[in-house]
Amino acid sequence: MDTEVDVGSVVSGLLGGDGVGGDGVGAGPADEDQEMEGAPSCSGSRSLPFEFERSRSDSSGDEDDDEDDEEEELEEEELEGGAGPPFGTDDGELDSDDDRERMINLSELTPYILCSICKGYFIDATTITECLHTFCKSCIVRHFYYSNRCPKCNIVVHQTQPLYNIRLDRQLQDIVYKLVVNLEEREKKQMHDFYKERGLEVPKPAIPQPVPVSRGRPRKVLGSVFRIPPELDISILLEFIGANEGTGNFKPLEKKFVRVSGEATIGHVEKFLRRKMDLDPACQVDIICGDHLLEHYQTLREIRRAIGESAIQDGLLVLHYGLVVAPLPVT
């Protein structure tokens, strides 16, 4: 009986109650509910694994939080430079903006933005396409009135029309305006005052027009706008050698490079000089090639063939001319 009672007590403990009532009959549902609500053995037996799992999850969560905190602290130390030198640096300190940016004196750039003709900053920077030397537009155009060579390297820009081989360098001009303070404003004011003083209309700045995008078949690229007719086969260089007293007033020849037909005569050249220099009718023009005084009827092609390479300079037929007083007619 003791053994049976012990087994029944164990069974009742597992079932959450005493197992039997006072009269040996099993308890009813209400009694079971009451016993289940107040039985500590059921809750105690099932609370252990849940409490263990919760404690384990809590402990693991605490460990994860600790690891996250440690990672955040390491990241903060790296940002502050406390976790050792960063990649690419020796002393463990990041370069400051002052170290990365180098201030340049304007005097270091001056040789690259000065015109070698006027010794001033570039205004309407213009580059020679043959040698890529740059000058002010007004300076190089004025220079080409008297020479067809580059002022810097002395290369022949063009035999007869050097102005064909120059181009505006707008990008370089923008750089000059950004480097030199108030240069653009001063230049615009001077140009405005120049036109106003002479009663002329101030030209408006050119606005670049957008290039239309062509669709379909590509357009044929046009050649150079300047075409020299094939009949103009002789290029001459007119060099002034002086004038005697009594020849009167005359204008200097602005352009000494001329391209003409080989059938032109020395008489045609003399008429050209008289018209361009506004010579007095009493003034006589002597034209010389090498050591030969030329006659009016001689053609340029005959002269080039007769005198040969001694009369040619850079592909140009060199003619020297001088002004003398015409002799009085014999009576």
Side-chain angles (χ1 to χ4, degrees):
M1 292 296 292
D2 295 336
T3 305
E4 292 177 358
V5 172
D6 293 338
V7 172
S9 63
V10 171
V11 172
S12 65
L14 293 174
L15 296 176
D18 296 333
V20 292
D23 54 354
V25 181
D31 296 334
E32 289 179 1
D33 295 338
Q34 292 177 359
E35 290 176 358
M36 289 295 291
E37 290 176 0
S41 60
C42 180
S43 62
S45 63
R46 293 182 182 275
S47 65
L48 287 176
F50 290 120
E51 289 178 359
F52 175 74
E53 290 177 1
R54 184 169 62 250
S55 62
R56 186 173 61 180
S57 62
D58 293 342
S59 62
S60 62
D62 295 338
E63 291 176 358
D64 295 337
D65 294 339
D66 294 338
E67 291 178 359
D68 295 338
D69 294 338
E70 290 177 0
E71 290 177 358
E72 291 177 359
E73 290 177 0
L74 288 175
E75 291 176 357
E76 291 177 358
E77 289 177 357
E78 289 177 357
L79 292 176
E80 293 175 358
F87 181 77
T89 56
D90 296 333
D91 54 355
E93 295 183 358
L94 295 175
D95 294 338
S96 62
D97 294 340
D98 296 338
D99 295 336
R100 286 197 297 265
E101 295 181 359
R102 176 172 173 257
M103 303 299 293
I104 300 178
N105 224 349
L106 182 59
S107 59
E108 298 181 25
L109 302 176
T110 298
Y112 305 101
I113 59 177
L114 284 185
C115 174
S116 60
I117 298 178
C118 66
K119 309 302 181 184
Y121 294 115
F122 288 138
I123 300 298
D124 293 334
T126 302
T127 301
I128 299 175
T129 58
E130 296 297 317
C131 57
L132 301 182
H133 289 139
T134 307
F135 311 90
C136 299
K137 181 181 179 180
S138 58
C139 295
I140 192 62
V141 170
R142 191 183 304 112
H143 171 79
F144 282 154
Y145 281 159
Y146 308 101
S147 175
N148 66 340
R149 294 177 175 270
C150 173
K152 250 186 177 179
C153 62
N154 206 35
I155 188 176
V156 176
V157 178
H158 192 278
Q159 291 185 354
T160 57
Q161 298 294 337
L163 294 177
Y164 291 173
N165 293 345
I166 61 176
R167 298 291 183 272
L168 287 175
D169 196 338
R170 302 186 187 279
Q171 187 174 5
L172 177 58
Q173 188 60 56
D174 291 340
I175 293 174
V176 175
Y177 281 153
K178 289 180 180 179
L179 288 176
V180 185
V181 181
N182 297 330
L183 177 63
E184 185 176 8
E185 288 75 10
R186 291 199 305 267
E187 184 63 26
K188 288 181 179 179
K189 185 179 183 303
Q190 290 180 3
M191 183 181 68
H192 183 273
D193 296 342
F194 176 86
Y195 283 95
K196 283 297 183 182
E197 290 175 359
R198 289 158 178 79
L200 303 174
E201 182 181 359
V202 180
K204 297 180 180 180
I207 301 176
Q209 299 295 330
V211 179
V213 179
S214 59
R215 296 182 179 179
R217 192 172 62 182
R219 295 182 179 180
K220 184 179 179 181
V221 180
L222 299 178
S224 176
V225 177
F226 304 101
R227 293 187 177 90
I228 300 175
E231 60 270 14
L232 303 180
D233 55 346
I234 298 292
S235 300
I236 61 176
L237 170 61
L238 299 172
E239 292 284 1
F240 181 58
I241 58 176
N244 293 344
E245 295 182 1
T247 54
N249 298 325
F250 57 89
K251 297 187 302 183
L253 186 64
E254 292 184 356
K255 296 182 179 181
K256 57 182 181 179
F257 301 98
V258 185
R259 192 175 183 92
V260 296
S261 171
E263 298 300 323
T265 64
I266 296 300
H268 293 121
V269 177
E270 180 181 348
K271 289 180 180 179
F272 172 79
L273 293 173
R274 287 186 178 277
R275 184 173 67 253
K276 292 296 183 180
M277 300 179 67
D278 196 13
L279 297 178
D280 189 271
C283 180
Q284 179 178 336
V285 181
D286 288 342
I287 301 177
I288 303 170
C289 184
D291 297 333
H292 305 273
L293 181 63
L294 304 178
E295 301 293 338
H296 286 183
Y297 61 87
Q298 291 180 287
T299 64
L300 298 178
R301 186 176 290 111
E302 292 173 353
I303 295 170
R304 181 171 183 174
R305 189 184 305 113
I307 299 179
E309 293 299 325
S310 61
I312 305 300
Q313 177 183 337
D314 296 326
L316 305 173
L317 178 63
V318 182
L319 301 179
H320 296 85
Y321 66 96
L323 307 180
V324 296
V325 180
L328 295 176
V330 180
T331 56

